[in-house]
Amino acid sequence: MGEFKVHRVRFFDYMPSAIRAMAFNSHTERLALVRADGALEIFNFADHYFQEKVIPGQDGRAVEALCWVGQRLFSAGLNGEITEYDLENLRPRYTVEAYGGPIWTIGSNKQGTLLMVGCEDGTVKMFEILKERIQFQRNLERQKGRIVSLSWHPSGTLIAAGMMDMIRIFNAETGKEMQHDPESREVVVWSVAFLSDYTIISGDSAGKVQIWDGLTGTLVRTHLVTKWDVLCLSVSQDESSLIAGTSEGTVVQFQFISSTVDQQEEEWVRTRTFKNHSHDVRALAHTETAVVSGGMDTQLVVRPLLDKVEKNTQESAMRKIALPHRSLVCCAKKAGLLLFQFPDHLEVWRVGESDGHGEENTHTHTHTHTHTHYAYSALSPCGEWLAYSTVSSVRLYRLQYNNISITKVGCSTLTLLPLFSVSVIVHTALFINTIKCMSELALFFSSSYFQLDKLSIVAIETTVTIYGSVCLQLHCTVPIYSSCPTAIAIHPTTSHLVVVHADQQIFEYSLVQKEYTEWSRKLQKQGLHSLWLERDTPVTHVTFSLKNPAHIILHDMFMFCIIDQSLPLPESKTLLYNQMTLRSLPEQERIRHSHAFKICKNFKHVMCVSLLEDHSLVVVERPLLDMMSQLPAPVRQKKFAT
Amino acid sequence: MAALYEGYTLCGLVPGQTLTNSGIQGIEAERDSDHVVVTDSTRSVTLYKVSDQKPLSSWTVKQGQTLTCPAVYNSQTEEYVVVSDNKVIRIWKDEDILLDKAFKATVSSDVWRVHCLPGGEPVVLFQRGAVRLLDSLLSAPQQPIEEVLAQEEAIRWSTNIVADSQQFVIFTTEQKGDSFLYLHRLNPNTLQRYRLEREEPGLSPLSFSASYRDKHICLLYLYPNGHVYQSVVSVRGLGGDEGAQALPLPRSLLLGLPVGEGLLEAASAQLLDEAHVAVVGVPHPSAGAGKDFLCIWNTNFQTLQAGKEMAGKIYGQLWTFSNKLFIPHGKTLSVIPYECPKSSLASALGKLNNGFINISVNVIIYGFFSLLTQRTNRKTQSAPSLTVDQVLDFTKTAPVEEVQREVEGLLSRADIQDLQPLVGQLASMLVSRSLADPAFYTPSTLAQLVHTQSLCHSVCPDLVLLALERRDFFLCQLCLQFFPDIPEAVTCACLKAFISMPDTEAEKLSLEPDSVSFMETLIARERAPVGLQNGFSSTSTDQDCSDALGGGGRVVIKTGEEDKEKSSTPPEPICPVGLHKAVLLNEVLLTAYSDTFLLPHLKDLSSQHVVLFLQYLQFLYLKYSQDASPQMHGLRSPSLTQIMDWVCMVLDAHFTVLVMTPEAKGLLVNLHSFVKSQVRLVSELGKIEGSLQELNKMKVKKDVGQYSIEIIELF
């Protein structure tokens, strides 16, 4: 295979924003997660925790709480609005002003008919959930302080509300305040949970998890879990387990069990402490088998409960999702340019020309787009064309580098165009973007610069559809596979489509013959190597070598791989990561031991791997340590022996 | 550890001299170690009794005459010899009062020095380099004296040395910045000239000192830049070619002394013995730049052993006679007794057990120092240690029980640290009394003293031998345990005594419980199913060792045949010696030694004992190989390496005997298999080493900046 010159790039200062809230839908096994910049992410827990959908955020829209109602997702934030998301088209469907000041919390009853929000002005507002919208119903009795947290009793008759220094219980039907449980002074009840046996559990800023009798309003038990705040609580579906997230970055589990063996009576006992975060745990979800947590340190952590899963399997491994499951970097292969996508601006860099260490010859361009954040962006191989999309529009720019300038050449403001991806393929004059809108396909091209002679791909969830771009007729549909595609690319010379799925399967589909290629069938027949399937980060980018059409280059977070289709596939017994072995062998013997998967693990936290035209590789890394160093100081740092 | 004691003044110096001159021309030994002849730089010669610090008699030449060479004492004729006005040799006896009336002879050439060593004849060295015996010169005083030196060559320093009944005159000269060494042998006369290697330009040696040892003349010289060189000249090779050519004199740098600011001006270095040098006029390394220090340096270890500040100006003059240093400084001539005992660090060259070295050496050094301070303190203020002295007197005469009681009381009374010098005195006193009086022996007191850990073998060298003689093996064990400096001969004597002791006697002993419990567990321990340590597995080794394995002990040969058959399950090794005997032997294994010294003594063991000892060592080795970790922390247990070292040494010492002894055959075959397993282990370890080093290299993570271009290779 030979030597590669690698441009190792670490100056992409990508910084995900903090996780603010999450909600888990146990029916669909999807986790909705919202970040401090308002971006919404949907993770499919059934499909290898793949980050399936992303709706970019918007300036000034801080979401404070999320709530699933069936398949529908609602959010509320400090701007006082309730938003329902359109998860098909990946944009907010509508927003409703609650007129109660900033909203701190949102919740629905078990039946999915009512939505309630807790507002700054001390009201709890009820909304009726209609088919297409929500409608204000009534206010519950107004309180003096803000409503910080809410929990609906499963029966739907009672609501517990956490406030400053107290917890109040309302009758959901009459809206009358029934009783309150006074707390000590200057305490914020950050989270409450109302269980079906009328137990109320609260987590507060004094670091206590308290268990109350909801009928009598008496304190049953206090667990002091931290010196700082208990920020969030989550109860398992069967109400046997409870988790509490703290400002120290710990998650404490309580279980409803009998504390001694012979004792019949069960109580809430503190059982486990997980320390997977360096900063505040702001959001928690208790799934059937795992504790899902996220917070200031921006990482989503899925920590399986070992009593619920089989030990030493892939299922029992802890996952930390630190980087997005999509490519934020686009590489112009011919021009040697890199496009970095930040939430609110784009940057174009040129990779260094010399072999010298650390030289970076760069151009930087920054677009600050008003309000809405970037969804996708792309750069044409020659580096001349730059396109990006937001939630509502697609724009095309022409870049000139001799005297750096940007000209806007096209803009679609069609609001009905939700965007999956914009890809600028192959030639300078060729600009294709693929857009899916419900059932129809709309193609955006706004000027005569473009000739459309290529195919475009649309991937929606698990279906991959190919459209001919000249006249926009459906070219073909790739057979449906059960797992989401995570990376798709069309080979520039052979017109083979390569699809990598969240379950790590690789398919190659011939667009000419409209069937899987021979190589793909062979791969499926023989099966992928078990170590390949065990990797826990998805492949986020596929590209090809212009020199050798048999080479497919793909990468995940911890490695990149060059698949040489001319070599035999690795058998299940052979060593998958065999680069070290091959290095030690003499030249003649290497051929016998080499296989198609050339995996290089020299780089960590890879965001992009691409092959430039001069056959040199560009590897964009974003080391986690660099990201960590940009975080604010945590409230408590673990010191030795403390 | 060398030491300088409190000095005293021998005499005042004549005032009014020039600042660079002390007023003393020379000091020479007189009839015994307590008398010296001091010649001042002008006219007088004085005889002093050093210990009394007073002059016994004095002689002066007439006004107008000057003494040009230090007076020497000829012990054969009991006469003094001095030279006045370069050419007049004067000889007189003790009873002569007036020098002018003594014998005089005028010679034809200027005399540089008259030298005379005790037992040797006086030798006259002329300024131009010629040498004559005094007797032959006086027989014809006006005889012509040849010129040896070149025109501009001048003598800087001279001495004479008696080596193997050969008398040598050694002198150094200087010519145009070059220094030369002349070695003149008398009867027959030969002369050899050496050229000293040049130091930095413009620097010539400040002082010389010569000594004779092992058929070599050793010359030590100090340069103003603080470098002390040593040159060694063989006495034998002399006289080959007659001093025509100046041979280059090889030198080795012994010490680089700190010089402070600038060069040394008035300094001198004197050899005290083969390892120690006294230096005056050089700054103390830890006391700033002042040069008025007298220091003793150890040249082997390059360490400062003792230092003393000298009040007043240092003239760079230093003489040494019989453990006393004579230094003129300020306005006095001081006598400073010193001591350079054989360095205890010698034991450091041998094999010491588990890092004991630091502690033990410290103990010795500390002990010595405190002894010193104690002694000097007592001189100045004797009141507080009165009771201690009483006890010391008491131990000389009192009966056993009372001595025991008193010593116990004394030990319990004071802090052990303060007692350190006392413990040594007490122990040696008790030992000498016990040696003298067969009825007197205080085992418990001695054991108690040893237990203080303030004793070492050099403080009372007879203690271990006394214990052996009285068959007090418990004390022996304690000594072996606590003394860091037991000589190999004594170790061997202990070994011999232990191994020849009948088991029945040994079992009656009461020994140190820690070591006993270790041995008990070792013997009693159930064998682990598959033991493998250091690559040796008793079950997996070749069949050829199985027969010997089976026997384990003295039964090897008898059971050899049967065991061959059941070689698949080698039985438990049996300890060939009794429990207590094994404990004592362990103690020997644990002592520090140096194999070169130990080997000759090991040869004294009888072949029967050697075989038994080897069997015991084999037993230990097998036990260690079987059990995963028999070395319990904190217990007195020999390490596997110690066992192997002893096996090797015993085999080395008795190899031929063992080969010829039929009983030893099985044992040897067995030991051979140990060696094989060790070799295999080492080769395996060697293989691993390479990989581990690679691993180390891989660990180095280089810091990658924001952007870099790297080359990777994919295969």
Side-chain angles (χ1 to χ4, degrees):
Chain A
M1 180 128 301
E3 284 189 350
F4 289 90
K5 191 165 94 176
V6 180
H7 298 270
R8 188 170 194 173
V9 175
R10 291 186 156 198
F11 49 78
F12 181 21
D13 287 327
Y14 170 72
M15 189 65 205
S17 54
I19 294 172
R20 183 55 61 87
M22 57 171 86
F24 185 69
N25 188 332
S26 52
H27 295 293
T28 57
E29 291 208 53
R30 280 178 172 69
L31 180 84
L33 176 152
V34 71
R35 292 187 185 267
D37 63 355
L40 177 87
E41 295 167 11
I42 308 285
F43 289 86
N44 187 347
F45 274 35
D47 191 10
H48 300 84
Y49 305 93
F50 179 59
Q51 189 188 45
E52 211 173 44
K53 291 166 186 171
V54 176
I55 300 177
Q58 206 173 335
D59 285 345
R61 188 201 269 168
V63 176
E64 199 59 32
L66 277 176
C67 170
W68 286 98
V69 180
Q71 304 264 16
R72 296 165 73 177
L73 183 64
F74 295 89
S75 77
L78 297 182
N79 58 359
E81 292 173 337
I82 304 168
T83 306
E84 185 182 353
Y85 291 97
D86 180 353
L87 295 178
E88 295 282 300
N89 299 312
L90 299 188
R91 56 181 181 152
R93 193 198 293 271
Y94 57 83
T95 38
V96 172
E97 175 65 53
Y99 300 108
I103 301 174
W104 288 93
T105 176
I106 189 170
S108 76
N109 62 352
K110 206 168 187 184
Q111 296 71 31
T113 54
L114 288 172
L115 200 66
M116 59 174 174
V117 292
C119 301
E120 175 76 19
D121 67 353
T123 52
V124 176
K125 293 174 192 288
M126 306 279 258
F127 288 84
E128 195 178 351
I129 302 171
L130 304 176
K131 202 172 181 201
E132 289 296 322
R133 61 198 173 85
I134 54 169
Q135 189 170 21
F136 177 72
Q137 202 188 42
R138 65 197 156 90
N139 280 334
L140 300 188
E141 201 166 297
R142 185 167 171 169
Q143 302 300 317
K144 275 197 186 120
R146 62 172 72 131
I147 310 288
V148 181
S149 52
L150 284 172
S151 181
W152 214 309
H153 187 264
S155 68
T157 53
L158 295 175
I159 295 170
M163 305 172 57
M164 309 297 289
D165 302 335
M166 64 179 79
I167 300 167
R168 276 176 195 275
I169 299 170
F170 298 95
N171 186 321
E173 273 130 40
T174 62
K176 288 276 188 292
E177 174 204 338
M178 291 176 65
Q179 60 196 62
H180 65 265
D181 307 319
E183 294 253 356
S184 55
R185 308 248 328 125
E186 287 300 312
V187 165
V188 186
V189 182
W190 284 119
S191 185
V192 287
F194 212 152
L195 306 185
S196 48
D197 63 353
Y198 295 96
T199 303
I200 296 174
I201 295 163
S202 69
D204 58 39
S205 61
K208 286 181 275 198
V209 171
Q210 292 183 312
I211 294 140
W212 307 82
D213 185 333
L215 295 174
T216 60
T218 49
L219 179 65
V220 178
R221 181 99 202 240
T222 298
H223 294 276
L224 184 66
V225 296
T226 174
K227 280 186 199 162
W228 284 273
D229 294 23
V230 175
L231 291 172
C232 46
L233 294 173
S234 180
V235 185
S236 67
Q237 194 105 33
D238 59 1
E239 296 187 354
S240 68
S241 168
L242 166 90
I243 45 175
T246 70
S247 291
E248 295 176 84
T250 53
V251 174
V252 183
Q253 191 193 12
F254 296 86
Q255 279 176 290
F256 195 58
I257 46 174
S258 50
S259 56
T260 48
V261 179
D262 46 347
Q263 203 177 327
Q264 286 299 308
E265 204 173 304
E266 291 183 319
E267 56 179 335
W268 286 101
V269 179
R270 179 177 170 167
T271 49
R272 270 176 278 204
T273 303
F274 308 108
K275 173 86 172 96
N276 297 319
H277 295 276
S278 56
H279 290 68
D280 300 16
V281 175
R282 290 295 302 265
L284 276 178
H286 198 315
T287 71
E288 199 102 333
T289 57
V291 171
V292 186
S293 56
M296 284 295 288
D297 65 359
T298 77
Q299 296 187 15
L300 177 69
V301 176
V302 181
R303 168 71 196 246
L305 291 165
L306 292 178
D307 50 349
K308 302 277 172 57
V309 294
E310 207 175 313
K311 283 189 187 80
N312 298 326
T313 56
Q314 248 186 298
E315 211 189 1
S316 66
M318 190 176 78
R319 278 168 195 261
K320 281 193 176 186
I321 300 168
L323 294 178
H325 289 169
R326 63 198 175 112
S327 200
L328 297 179
V329 180
C330 186
C331 177
K333 293 183 175 188
K334 278 188 190 155
L337 294 171
L338 289 171
L339 173 73
F340 296 152
Q341 179 190 327
F342 292 88
D344 54 355
H345 69 277
L346 304 174
E347 284 181 8
V348 180
W349 294 72
R350 184 188 296 281
V351 298
E353 302 281 338
S354 79
D355 291 334
H357 209 73
E359 189 189 328
E360 43 197 76
N361 181 0
T362 57
H363 298 269
T364 311
H365 303 275
T366 308
H367 303 243
T368 339
H369 198 274
T370 48
H371 307 309
T372 51
H373 291 168
Y374 295 102
Y376 294 93
S377 59
L379 196 62
S380 68
C382 61
E384 200 179 343
W385 305 97
L386 184 150
Y388 68 83
S389 68
T390 65
V391 164
S392 56
S393 66
V394 180
R395 279 159 210 261
L396 177 71
Y397 290 85
R398 180 172 197 161
L399 301 178
Q400 272 157 338
Y401 296 99
N402 35 17
N403 50 349
I404 298 160
S405 69
I406 288 191
T407 331
K408 187 159 137 187
V409 288
C411 171
S412 151
T413 46
L414 299 171
T415 48
L416 74 161
L417 295 184
L419 219 79
F420 263 93
S421 84
V422 176
S423 47
V424 183
I425 316 174
V426 190
H427 299 298
T428 41
L430 194 72
F431 175 56
I432 295 167
N433 73 61
T434 53
I435 304 139
K436 157 78 170 58
C437 175
M438 299 302 285
S439 57
E440 67 179 281
L441 179 86
L443 178 75
F444 158 73
F445 59 104
S446 58
S447 77
S448 56
Y449 288 122
F450 308 108
Q451 287 185 345
L452 308 174
D453 63 348
K454 279 285 169 179
L455 303 163
S456 54
I457 316 155
V458 176
I460 304 154
E461 293 178 16
T462 58
T463 319
V464 179
T465 322
I466 312 297
Y467 293 95
S469 53
V470 180
C471 44
L472 283 182
Q473 86 284 23
L474 178 68
H475 180 74
C476 65
T477 302
V478 178
I480 294 174
Y481 184 69
S482 59
S483 181
C484 283
T486 62
I488 305 172
I490 300 177
H491 198 289
T493 52
T494 61
S495 289
H496 288 163
L497 176 80
V498 175
V499 187
V500 187
H501 292 271
D503 64 355
Q504 311 296 355
Q505 291 292 343
I506 304 167
F507 292 97
E508 193 188 33
Y509 186 80
S510 166
L511 296 180
V512 181
Q513 271 104 39
K514 296 186 184 174
E515 59 179 23
Y516 285 123
T517 61
E518 196 61 37
W519 184 80
S520 184
R521 285 168 202 277
K522 201 169 80 186
L523 183 68
Q524 287 306 312
K525 209 164 143 191
Q526 189 175 327
L528 279 152
H529 196 279
S530 58
L531 286 177
W532 176 269
L533 297 176
E534 277 168 20
R535 291 176 310 113
D536 62 354
T537 52
V539 169
T540 50
H541 187 63
V542 176
T543 183
F544 303 95
S545 163
L546 296 175
K547 269 190 191 160
N548 192 338
H551 288 179
I552 305 169
I553 299 150
L554 37 83
H555 78 90
D556 67 10
M557 191 166 152
F558 296 105
M559 62 98 199
F560 76 85
C561 172
I562 299 181
I563 299 176
D564 187 345
Q565 289 177 302
S566 61
L567 288 175
L569 294 167
E571 312 239 346
S572 60
K573 292 270 171 53
T574 50
L575 197 63
L576 182 68
Y577 304 109
N578 62 349
Q579 289 297 316
M580 290 297 279
T581 325
L582 291 178
R583 185 188 301 273
S584 62
L585 287 175
E587 190 112 29
Q588 302 82 3
E589 280 185 53
R590 279 183 194 155
I591 297 167
R592 277 202 300 122
H593 288 88
S594 59
H595 57 70
F597 287 73
K598 317 279 185 198
I599 296 169
C600 172
K601 302 190 90 168
N602 292 8
F603 307 100
K604 291 272 172 327
H605 311 119
V606 179
M607 298 206 63
C608 174
V609 175
S610 194
L611 195 62
L612 296 182
E613 206 172 41
D614 64 354
H615 211 61
S616 63
L617 279 165
V618 177
V619 176
V620 181
E621 286 179 295
R622 180 58 179 157
L624 283 189
L625 274 179
D626 292 4
M627 289 209 293
M628 289 297 141
S629 64
Q630 289 190 15
L631 292 171
V635 291
R636 177 172 188 252
Q637 258 172 335
K638 173 83 179 157
K639 294 280 190 321
F640 290 111
T642 56
Chain B
M1 187 82 181
L4 292 166
Y5 296 103
E6 197 64 48
Y8 44 92
T9 305
L10 187 64
C11 63
L13 299 179
V14 183
Q17 299 289 337
T18 52
L19 277 174
T20 51
N21 191 343
S22 68
I24 289 181
Q25 195 164 155
I27 300 171
E28 294 287 342
E30 218 249 9
R31 64 198 84 155
D32 60 26
S33 61
D34 207 12
H35 290 79
V36 289
V37 184
V38 177
T39 310
D40 76 8
S41 54
T42 50
R43 299 195 298 141
S44 59
V45 175
T46 316
L47 170 66
Y48 284 97
K49 184 163 165 57
V50 178
S51 55
D52 290 347
Q53 307 170 36
K54 71 176 186 191
L56 296 180
S57 48
S58 176
W59 298 273
T60 315
V61 291
K62 261 196 215 155
Q63 193 87 35
Q65 295 173 337
T66 46
L67 298 174
T68 54
C69 134
V72 296
Y73 179 72
N74 183 349
S75 54
Q76 285 174 341
T77 57
E78 300 188 345
E79 284 169 339
Y80 299 94
V81 183
V82 80
V83 179
S84 64
D85 299 319
N86 289 329
K87 282 190 171 126
V88 184
I89 297 173
R90 291 160 186 265
I91 298 171
W92 77 99
K93 289 210 171 205
D94 205 5
E95 53 266 27
D96 296 340
I97 297 164
L98 289 175
L99 207 51
D100 279 322
K101 289 184 181 165
F103 171 80
K104 265 186 271 190
T106 306
V107 293
S108 61
S109 180
D110 284 358
V111 174
W112 165 253
R113 285 278 189 279
V114 179
H115 287 292
C116 182
L117 277 177
E121 275 185 80
V123 186
V124 180
L125 171 64
F126 289 91
Q127 282 191 0
R128 303 311 306 154
V131 175
R132 294 281 187 283
L133 283 171
L134 185 62
D135 281 356
S136 65
L137 181 65
L138 291 182
S139 61
Q142 287 299 318
Q143 60 181 275
I145 303 298
E146 74 277 15
E147 289 225 351
V148 175
L149 302 185
Q151 267 303 307
E152 282 160 335
E153 208 171 349
I155 298 180
R156 289 282 172 252
W157 167 86
S158 66
T159 189
N160 76 335
I161 273 177
V162 176
D164 298 342
S165 71
Q166 283 276 332
Q167 209 170 352
F168 288 89
V169 175
I170 303 166
F171 56 97
T172 60
T173 63
E174 204 178 310
Q175 180 191 20
K176 293 176 191 163
D178 276 329
S179 294
F180 297 94
L181 172 73
Y182 287 82
L183 211 57
H184 189 114
R185 187 171 65 181
L186 294 148
N187 289 337
N189 282 335
T190 56
L191 181 67
Q192 185 61 56
R193 185 173 185 237
Y194 297 94
R195 180 195 296 273
L196 266 62
E197 265 180 72
R198 273 198 176 208
E199 188 65 5
E200 293 163 42
L203 295 188
S204 48
L206 275 180
S207 85
F208 292 91
S209 168
S211 70
Y212 174 78
R213 57 172 182 262
D214 295 334
K215 306 216 184 322
H216 287 86
I217 289 168
C218 186
L219 186 74
L220 182 94
Y221 40 105
L222 167 73
Y223 278 95
N225 58 6
H227 288 181
V228 178
Y229 290 98
Q230 188 181 36
S231 295
V232 178
V233 185
S234 170
V235 176
R236 263 188 217 148
L238 283 178
D241 54 339
E242 198 76 339
Q245 204 74 34
L247 299 175
L249 186 65
R251 67 178 186 186
S252 56
L253 184 64
L254 270 193
L255 288 170
L257 296 172
V259 291
E261 295 137 45
L263 296 171
L264 301 175
E265 284 162 8
S268 176
Q270 282 286 330
L271 271 172
L272 301 181
D273 61 21
E274 61 249 275
H276 293 92
V277 177
V279 183
V280 74
V282 175
H284 192 282
S286 54
K291 290 178 179 164
D292 39 1
F293 274 92
L294 169 67
C295 298
I296 296 183
W297 288 80
N298 185 318
T299 55
N300 290 344
F301 303 115
Q302 318 256 316
T303 49
L304 180 67
Q305 303 272 296
K308 195 184 229 2
E309 189 168 9
M310 307 309 298
K313 190 180 163 55
I314 295 279
Y315 302 99
Q317 284 177 309
L318 182 66
W319 291 272
T320 165
F321 301 108
S322 61
N323 285 348
K324 287 182 198 73
L325 290 163
F326 293 77
I327 306 171
H329 63 102
K331 287 179 178 170
T332 50
L333 170 65
S334 280
V335 181
I336 297 174
Y338 70 91
E339 196 175 27
C340 292
K342 281 270 190 295
S343 147
S344 300
L345 284 172
S347 57
L349 298 173
K351 292 185 183 174
L352 269 180
N353 38 359
N354 355 317
F356 254 82
I357 166 85
N358 293 329
I359 310 156
S360 54
V361 170
N362 284 344
V363 167
I364 298 167
I365 292 169
Y366 181 76
F368 194 80
F369 261 126
S370 48
L371 202 63
L372 212 72
T373 45
Q374 186 79 16
R375 214 176 272 179
T376 47
N377 281 349
R378 203 172 306 140
K379 245 179 200 161
T380 48
Q381 41 179 12
S382 52
S385 52
L386 201 67
T387 50
V388 174
D389 285 341
Q390 277 176 340
V391 173
L392 285 176
D393 288 341
F394 191 68
T395 50
K396 283 179 190 160
T397 50
V400 175
E401 293 76 24
E402 285 183 37
V403 168
Q404 279 179 353
R405 203 177 55 235
E406 281 305 316
V407 171
E408 203 167 316
L410 185 69
L411 287 178
S412 59
R413 220 176 320 156
D415 183 20
I416 292 293
Q417 292 296 321
D418 297 336
L419 283 179
Q420 221 160 23
L422 171 72
V423 167
Q425 279 171 299
L426 265 178
S428 40
M429 208 165 280
L430 287 172
V431 167
S432 54
R433 192 175 161 197
S434 304
L435 285 172
D437 177 10
F440 180 84
Y441 188 58
T442 54
S444 59
T445 310
L446 285 172
Q448 209 175 1
L449 288 173
V450 173
H451 254 302
T452 60
Q453 305 207 12
S454 319
L455 274 184
C456 56
H457 186 267
S458 23
V459 170
C460 54
D462 296 327
L463 179 57
V464 184
L465 295 174
L466 172 74
L468 280 179
E469 189 188 302
R470 300 292 170 99
R471 298 191 83 71
D472 182 357
F473 293 114
F474 177 58
L475 187 60
C476 278
Q477 188 191 17
L478 286 183
C479 291
L480 286 169
Q481 191 168 334
F482 290 118
F483 289 1
D485 55 346
I486 291 187
E488 283 77 359
V490 178
T491 310
C492 240
C494 288
L495 173 64
K496 209 168 160 183
F498 295 159
I499 203 130
S500 57
M501 170 178 31
D503 267 339
T504 44
E505 187 194 335
E507 295 316 309
K508 285 177 204 149
L509 293 173
S510 74
L511 293 172
E512 216 254 324
D514 249 9
S515 48
V516 177
S517 79
F518 164 72
M519 245 357 256
E520 267 171 354
T521 41
L522 191 70
I523 292 173
R525 183 176 295 150
E526 302 256 322
R527 211 175 90 193
V530 186
L532 205 119
Q533 199 195 5
N534 278 354
F536 179 77
S537 153
S538 55
T539 45
S540 65
T541 37
D542 322 333
Q543 286 94 359
D544 61 352
C545 73
S546 61
D547 56 345
L549 269 177
R554 281 164 286 186
V555 284
V556 166
I557 299 307
K558 292 176 222 159
T559 58
E561 284 300 304
E562 305 152 36
D563 283 337
K564 223 165 222 167
E565 287 148 33
K566 49 177 180 179
S567 64
S568 53
T569 53
E572 185 76 6
I574 301 157
C575 186
V577 295
L579 176 68
H580 282 178
K581 205 161 155 176
V583 168
L584 290 172
L585 289 176
N586 282 354
E587 220 54 67
V588 172
L589 298 184
L590 281 166
T591 46
Y593 65 88
S594 159
D595 26 10
T596 26
F597 297 122
L598 188 61
L599 212 56
H601 300 293
L602 271 180
K603 291 188 193 223
D604 297 344
L605 289 175
S606 74
S607 71
Q608 188 193 348
H609 288 154
V610 165
V611 171
L612 181 59
F613 188 44
L614 275 178
Q615 276 166 351
Y616 175 65
L617 289 171
Q618 182 199 7
F619 161 77
L620 279 183
Y621 182 86
L622 283 176
K623 271 290 180 190
Y624 274 40
S625 314
Q626 282 166 3
D627 301 319
S629 56
Q631 284 159 275
M632 276 162 287
H633 189 69
L635 291 179
R636 302 274 305 161
S637 57
S639 72
L640 197 66
T641 14
Q642 278 170 332
I643 295 169
M644 280 320 274
D645 286 343
W646 273 93
V647 169
C648 296
M649 261 185 321
V650 174
L651 285 177
D652 278 350
H654 291 273
F655 186 68
T656 43
V657 179
L658 286 169
V659 166
M660 302 301 287
T661 315
E663 295 94 50
K665 190 188 164 223
L667 194 66
L668 288 179
V669 169
N670 232 341
L671 293 173
H672 177 62
S673 74
F674 297 171
V675 175
K676 262 208 276 191
S677 66
Q678 290 278 333
V679 167
R680 207 167 47 217
L681 170 76
V682 168
S683 75
E684 291 298 319
L685 286 177
K687 282 180 208 161
I688 295 169
E689 193 187 13
S691 338
L692 288 179
Q693 270 171 0
E694 279 305 306
L695 215 63
N696 251 352
K697 279 182 208 153
M698 277 167 62
K699 282 279 160 64
V700 183
K701 254 195 184 159
K702 61 174 192 288
D703 183 41
V704 185
Q706 291 257 290
Y707 177 69
S708 60
I709 296 180
E710 298 172 6
I711 302 291
I712 60 164
E713 197 178 5
L714 290 177
F715 300 98

